[in-house]
Amino acid sequence: MRTVFHSKLDEFSDQLVRFCETNIRLLDRATAALLDGDELAAIEVIDGAAELEDLREASEQHAFELLLLESPVAGDLRQVVSGIYIVEHFTRMAALAGHIARVARRRHPLPVVPAPLVPLIRELSQHDGRMARELTALLVEKDADRARTLDAEDDAVDRLHADLMKQISAEDWPHGSVAAVDLALLARYYERFGDHTVSIANRVVYLATGERPEGGSLSHLDDGTVLD
């Protein structure tokens, strides 16, 4: 029975990795839609929600079957329960990529991001992408020390977010109110994507050590936001 249990647990872990890889692709394509005017990429990301919903349901069902199959203990229980939370984070991340794609499609064929700010948005996306790619390794290796390093990358995302908001709110902002609103939303979507990767990394620390990471949150799901 334990052999069957651990086989199913490994399969559940593999599903989480596939979920992460799908989110990386959706974020990359959403950014292409936004910065390169690629409407097909926007449609691909929006339609990808159905794929993610199927994967979410399969992952959650797998977790429930693990809990019912045999009462897991200690590390096994932490892995199953944390996996359920991680699935929720990944679902929110996919929704954020969808929000970015919808902004791009709504303004198409007009550019959403003024040319001077394209490098900043691209840098935000690159930081988020690196963090998500790091998660794919962390979900396999469960390296607590490596997981803690994502905080530094997220700090860079927060600085870029603050820089963009400062520019938008400046009295001499030259690009109009529509662009300001779009960019404020986009900055929030990219920031939240990074927040979710940190929460998952903190879950990895918890999985590896059985302890909450010092100064770290295990969830960015309950902050009252309506932006996932």
Side-chain angles (χ1 to χ4, degrees):
M1 180 67 86
R2 296 300 295 175
T3 300
V4 173
F5 176 83
H6 283 288
S7 176
K8 287 184 174 292
L9 193 59
D10 289 342
E11 186 178 344
F12 182 46
S13 296
D14 290 342
Q15 286 177 327
L16 296 180
V17 171
R18 291 198 299 274
F19 218 140
C20 190
E21 291 171 344
T22 301
N23 275 329
I24 292 167
R25 176 174 57 81
L26 292 179
L27 180 69
D28 287 346
R29 297 296 284 158
T31 301
L34 182 68
L35 300 184
D36 303 329
D38 189 338
E39 188 178 20
L40 290 178
I43 294 170
E44 177 186 331
V45 174
I46 294 166
D47 290 347
E51 176 186 347
L52 265 294
E53 186 59 33
D54 289 344
L55 188 53
R56 176 187 182 176
E57 291 179 2
S59 297
E60 290 181 344
Q61 182 62 36
H62 207 129
F64 295 143
E65 288 174 0
L66 283 167
L67 292 173
L68 292 172
L69 178 67
E70 181 178 340
S71 299
V73 295
D76 291 343
L77 180 59
R78 287 202 306 271
Q79 188 168 346
V80 176
V81 174
S82 290
I84 294 171
Y85 281 104
I86 288 171
V87 167
E88 183 64 24
H89 283 295
F90 280 145
T91 303
R92 301 291 183 92
M93 291 164 71
L96 290 163
H99 293 337
I100 294 167
R102 286 185 180 88
V103 173
R105 194 178 186 200
R106 185 167 63 245
R107 302 300 180 200
H108 185 80
L110 298 176
V112 178
V113 181
L117 291 171
V118 166
L120 191 155
I121 296 296
R122 197 176 297 281
E123 189 174 356
L124 270 173
S125 176
Q126 289 170 347
H127 279 293
D128 280 351
R130 280 195 296 271
M131 293 168 72
R133 287 177 175 86
E134 182 70 2
L135 284 180
T136 61
L138 292 176
L139 289 169
V140 174
E141 298 171 7
K142 299 180 178 59
D143 184 329
D145 290 334
R146 188 173 174 182
R148 292 186 182 99
T149 65
L150 262 69
D151 272 330
E153 190 87 38
D154 190 51
D155 287 344
V157 172
D158 291 341
R159 287 192 295 270
L160 289 167
H161 176 268
D163 181 19
L164 181 55
M165 297 306 294
K166 182 179 179 180
Q167 293 188 53
I168 291 170
S169 60
E171 291 184 4
D172 59 350
W173 169 253
H175 303 294
S177 59
V178 172
V181 171
D182 283 344
L183 286 165
L185 288 172
L186 290 166
R188 181 60 170 162
Y189 299 150
Y190 281 109
E191 182 200 28
R192 290 290 297 160
F193 193 99
D195 285 345
H196 285 296
T197 65
V198 172
S199 288
I200 295 170
N202 288 339
R203 283 278 169 193
V204 172
V205 174
Y206 175 65
L207 277 172
T209 67
E211 298 177 356
R212 178 188 294 270
E214 184 176 354
S217 171
L218 291 179
S219 178
H220 283 90
L221 299 177
D222 301 317
D223 62 356
T225 182
V226 295
L227 299 178
D228 297 294

